[in-house]
Amino acid sequence: MRRRTLGLLTTTGAATLFASLTLAAPSEAQTTTAAASFIVSESQFNQMFPSRNSFYTYSGLTAALSAYPGFTTTGSDTVQKQEAAAFMANVSHETGGLVYIVEQNTANYPAYCDTGQPYGCPAGNDKYYGRGPIQLSWNTNYKAAGDALGIDLLNNPDLVQNDAAVAWKTGLWYWNTQTGPGTMTPHNAMVNSAGFGETIRSINGTIECNGGNPSQVQSRIDIYTQFAQILGVGTGDNLSC
């Protein structure tokens, strides 16, 4: 896997905790309804990720949608499809096309424990490495995401690599609630017409934007353009950062 560049997942970006939201497991009927209403069909999802790891299921994604009901349901049909393409493009970039579940550089694993936090790293200092579609890392992020989702990820970080719905929920948590090094959440960037480039800034702007790593920015843009075409929508303006 390419070198890890997730500048967003730092202790600074995770300091803000969100109010707990306890989410009941969706029923089969609810999951079916979510899949039917999702702006991306299963066939389009498969077209986007033809070589994906079997862990990243379409049903896991649609089961996670209830956590953030505004995701891909805000604004016009065009805006909804652009947001879906933008999320999928960034996720694809971070995971090599949904191939990787966990961070590949194991040497980094012990680095993601902020021992200065009062709650520490109860699962072990080397247990908060990147996992899932947004490669969630740091004990602070596991704590913040778990608190927001009503899931004890601080004590059970392996859930992100063992439960597809939980993994997708962590990706949606970041997308919908975190600004990272940017000035807005990726969700707000897309629904308020700030453009795809601002999603890059919020995800990894410190390292990639303002000329930091043009090739990585272009990779994200290329994937976004491809996915927008699959969904039959234009890309909009402000693609770069």
Side-chain angles (χ1 to χ4, degrees):
M1 184 180 181
R2 55 174 170 57
R3 69 180 182 87
R4 180 174 174 76
T5 60
L6 271 180
L8 67 100
L9 295 175
T10 64
T11 56
T12 301
T16 302
L17 300 184
F18 288 81
S20 296
L21 175 62
T22 302
L23 302 171
S27 66
E28 183 177 347
Q30 288 173 320
T31 301
T32 300
T33 301
S37 62
F38 188 37
I39 201 82
V40 179
S41 70
E42 185 167 11
S43 63
Q44 289 170 328
F45 179 78
N46 290 335
Q47 188 177 352
M48 291 173 176
F49 304 105
S51 303
R52 75 178 189 278
N53 190 300
S54 60
F55 171 77
Y56 290 112
T57 60
Y58 181 76
S59 61
L61 172 56
T62 57
L65 296 177
S66 61
Y68 294 97
F71 172 69
T72 68
T73 63
T74 304
S76 66
D77 182 72
T78 294
V79 170
Q80 292 175 22
K81 289 180 178 178
Q82 287 174 340
E83 181 180 14
F87 174 76
M88 297 298 192
N90 280 297
V91 161
S92 180
H93 180 85
E94 298 299 341
T95 61
L98 289 185
V99 170
Y100 300 108
I101 302 171
V102 302
E103 181 176 353
Q104 298 299 287
N105 187 356
T106 57
N108 285 342
Y109 286 11
Y112 298 121
C113 175
D114 181 356
T115 57
Q117 297 300 321
Y119 45 78
C121 298
N125 287 10
D126 61 349
K127 293 294 287 183
Y128 300 97
Y129 49 84
R131 293 180 177 89
I134 206 70
Q135 291 290 281
L136 187 73
S137 59
W138 288 95
N139 58 324
T140 46
N141 279 305
Y142 278 87
K143 176 71 163 61
D147 285 353
L149 296 168
I151 306 169
D152 186 4
L153 297 180
L154 182 66
N155 285 288
N156 302 285
D158 284 342
L159 285 173
V160 183
Q161 69 188 70
N162 293 329
D163 186 317
V166 171
W168 282 113
K169 284 178 182 178
T170 63
L172 292 175
W173 166 78
Y174 191 90
W175 184 265
N176 288 278
T177 69
Q178 301 292 286
T179 62
T183 60
M184 63 192 78
T185 68
H187 168 74
N188 284 339
M190 295 308 297
V191 303
N192 293 328
S193 301
F196 179 72
E198 288 305 309
T199 73
I200 303 174
R201 190 180 305 280
S202 295
I203 289 174
N204 206 22
T206 302
I207 293 177
E208 295 181 19
C209 294
N210 301 318
N213 197 327
S215 65
Q216 293 297 305
V217 171
Q218 190 59 52
S219 170
R220 293 181 194 264
I221 294 171
D222 290 346
I223 300 171
Y224 172 58
T225 301
Q226 176 191 353
F227 287 1
Q229 290 174 346
I230 290 174
L231 295 181
V233 69
T235 59
D237 300 324
N238 303 321
L239 298 184
S240 190
C241 62

